[in-house]
């Protein structure tokens, strides 16, 4: 199949920042074969799309996401992560998701992304109580069917809950403490067998559209041996490695209490596992020494500003990371913590929140810089920067077509700023992944969305029953978790990543 998009404005996102006011784009199979301001012969294409009045640009990349809670948007109030997770993790008796449930909820989020022009996602998928080949297949099948580009990892801890948090062992009464000391459902060998299945079955599917990644969830949630085994898997297959690091102040305290005063970044470094394959997710409560270690490793930081606000986690030190040349990509995080799954909103937030961090306005993020994080940063995090993220010959045809006859772009004053500060996804008319049109004029070309949403509503009503059981389990633990949280909030950590308040002010 060859497709020609004619007479469009083209934001190439190439290294030189080229924007064509008018150009033709030829797509041959999955690949962009030509971008020519002088025009391309129409006869060369089987499908011709008139692009006048439209913008062609690379699709957006959601570089950090967790699909298993796609059906839970809006279901929780704003809470700090450690309290939030009590309500997020389903009561085990009520938790079991069927493969069809996993398929439906994955598809729900994927369609929302495609509708607003996201062409690639990194899904750090977790499974309660544990992954199985059937549920892994269901997640990947949803991505296969809707046409999006995806990398999927299995975000599973292999240490008991009690070991992941400070203070809790001293705060909890014995019966609760014993329950939280129970090991997770699958041990390291079982989890690695699941990775074998994921990689053997799906890594490289459809010309490489679907690929595996690895995830340890967070360094304090896995044993050093399992952490090393995942790093080995990542190295052997050249896979991105997702690791949540210092998302919260309490995690900084964890290092003081449980790692001999070391930060979690230093801990990863001491294990010899800081690498350029790492996606360091959040990176908020990091200090200058941590930033130096991350810069030396070549790792990417995955920035999720809306999730960070929703959970009150703090403000990532954007400029200090960029000063060190540390690559940054953007993500929504999970739909229960950034309820909209909208990368335009994430980009806008990334373009705004850091203005509060520095009185020197020359150090605030520019719109061009935010777009570079959104697209080029995402491609790098995925380890696919030579293949996606540019409208240029030889790159995958992961493109979106935006209508410029919309309020976001009328009148057109500055394309980059209007993309970051005005557009929310409503101008996206067509989403193409690997040369295939997967979303057009507000509809999936591949999936019956009306039927899917009906099934998602049914899933939602079943979840309401499970939520009641989860809330009862959470209520039992809440007083102790609150004590832990407040004790950590009062413990000095030598930095502040909250806005306005003094360090440790929360009481
Ligand atoms: Zn996350």
């Amino acid at each position: 199949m060859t497709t020609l998009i004619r007479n469009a404005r083209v934001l190439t996102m190439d290294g030189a920042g080229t924007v064509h006011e008018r150009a033709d784009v030829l797509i041959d199979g999955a690949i962009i074969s030509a971008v020519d301001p002088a025009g391309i012969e129409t006869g060369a294409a089987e499908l011709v799309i008139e692009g006048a009045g439209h913008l062609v640009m690379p699709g957006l990349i959601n570089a950090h996401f967790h699909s298993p809670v796609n059906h839970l948007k809006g279901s929780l109030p704003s809470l700090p992560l450690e309290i939030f997770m009590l309500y997020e993790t389903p009561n085990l008796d009520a938790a079991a998701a069927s493969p069809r449930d996993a398929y439906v909820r994955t598809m729900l989020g994927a369609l929302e992304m495609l509708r607003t022009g996201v062409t690639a996602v990194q899904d750090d998928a977790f499974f309660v109580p544990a992954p199985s080949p059937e549920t892994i297949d269901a997640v990947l099948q949803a991505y296969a069917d809707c046409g999006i580009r995806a990398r999927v990892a299995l975000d599973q801890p292999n240490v008991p809950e009690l070991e992941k948090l400070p203070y809790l062992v001293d705060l909890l009464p014995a019966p609760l403490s014993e329950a939280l000391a129970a090991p997770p459902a699958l041990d390291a060998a079982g989890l690695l067998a699941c990775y074998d299945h994921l990689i053997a079955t799906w890594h490289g599917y459809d010309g490489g559209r679907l690929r595996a990644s690895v995830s340890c969830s967070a360094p304090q949630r896995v044993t050093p041996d399992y952490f090393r085994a995942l790093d080995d898997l990542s190295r052997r297959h050249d896979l991105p490695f997702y690791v949540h690091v210092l998302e919260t102040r309490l995690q900084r305290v964890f290092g003081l209490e449980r790692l001999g005063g070391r930060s979690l970044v230093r801990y990863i470094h001491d294990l010899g596992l800081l690498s350029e394959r790492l996606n360091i997710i959040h990176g908020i409560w990091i200090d200058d020494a941590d930033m130096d270690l991350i810069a030396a490793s070549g790792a990417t930081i995955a920035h999720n500003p809306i999730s960070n606000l929703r959970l009150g986690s703090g403000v990532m030190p954007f400029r200090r990371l960029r000063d060190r040349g540390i690559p940054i990509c953007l993500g929504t995080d999970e739909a229960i913590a950034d309820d909209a799954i909208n990368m335009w909103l994430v980009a806008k937030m990334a373009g705004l929140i850091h203005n509060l961090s520095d009185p020197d306005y020359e150090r605030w993020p520019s719109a061009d810089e935010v777009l570079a994080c959104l697209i080029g940063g995402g491609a790098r995090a995925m380890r696919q920067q030579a293949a996606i993220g540019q409208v240029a010959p030889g790159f995958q045809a992961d493109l979106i077509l935006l209508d410029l006859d919309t309020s976001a772009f009328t009148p057109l004053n500055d394309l980059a700023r209007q993309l970051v500060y005005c557009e929310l996804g409503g101008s996206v008319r067509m989403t193409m992944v690997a040369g295939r049109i997967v979303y057009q004029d507000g509809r999936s070309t591949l999936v019956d969305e009306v039927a899917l949403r009906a099934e998602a509503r049914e899933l939602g009503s079943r979840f309401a029953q499970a939520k009641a059981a989860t809330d009862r389990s959470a209520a039992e633990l809440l007083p102790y978790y609150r004590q832990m949280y407040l004790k950590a909030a009062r413990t000095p950590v030598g930095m502040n990543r909250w806005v306005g308040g003094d360090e440790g002010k929360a009481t």
Side-chain angles (χ1 to χ4, degrees), residues 64 66 244 281-282 333:
H64 181 59
H66 304 273
H244 293 73
I281 302 155
H282 302 301
D333 210 351

Side-chain angles (χ1 to χ4, degrees), residues 64-66 124 155 244 247 281-282 304 307 333-334:
H64 181 59
F65 184 60
H66 304 273
D124 193 18
D155 174 343
H244 293 73
E247 174 176 2
I281 302 155
H282 302 301
N304 308 274
S307 166
D333 210 351
E334 58 195 13

Side-chain angles (χ1 to χ4, degrees), residues 196-351:
D196 287 345
H197 173 79
L198 170 67
I199 292 168
T201 312
W202 293 101
H203 186 55
Y205 176 91
D206 191 19
R209 181 166 64 82
L210 303 187
R211 295 176 192 226
S213 295
V214 300
S215 171
C216 73
S217 187
Q220 72 278 18
R221 298 176 191 153
V222 289
T223 57
D225 282 351
Y226 181 50
F227 202 168
R228 285 192 196 95
L230 289 174
D231 177 67
D232 184 53
L233 201 57
S234 157
R235 185 186 303 102
R236 276 192 282 131
H237 296 279
D238 192 27
L239 310 179
F241 191 161
Y242 310 149
V243 48
H244 293 73
V245 181
L246 291 169
E247 174 176 2
T248 68
R249 195 179 184 289
L250 183 140
Q251 291 167 4
R252 188 91 205 166
V253 173
F254 179 90
L256 298 175
E257 291 291 315
R258 304 286 289 268
L259 300 174
R262 291 178 294 172
S263 80
L264 283 157
V265 172
R266 174 70 61 180
Y267 171 70
I268 302 171
H269 172 263
D270 290 351
L271 289 174
L273 300 179
L274 269 184
S275 80
E276 60 158 358
R277 285 170 278 108
L278 284 192
N279 285 203
I280 293 183
I281 302 155
H282 302 301
I284 296 169
W285 294 84
I286 55 178
D287 63 16
D288 286 338
D290 294 332
M291 290 183 231
D292 291 342
L293 290 174
I294 293 167
S297 74
T300 296
I301 299 265
H303 182 31
N304 308 274
I306 293 181
S307 166
N308 298 157
L309 286 168
R310 185 79 155 84
L311 305 183
S313 301
V315 180
M316 186 195 79
F318 180 91
R319 181 58 60 203
R320 286 153 75 183
L321 294 167
R322 294 295 304 136
D323 283 347
R324 290 169 167 82
I326 297 170
I328 294 173
C329 59
L330 301 181
T332 55
D333 210 351
E334 58 195 13
I336 196 171
D338 172 353
D339 309 65
I341 324 184
N342 184 313
M343 286 304 297
W344 300 99
L345 275 169
V346 169
K348 179 168 183 167
M349 189 57 67

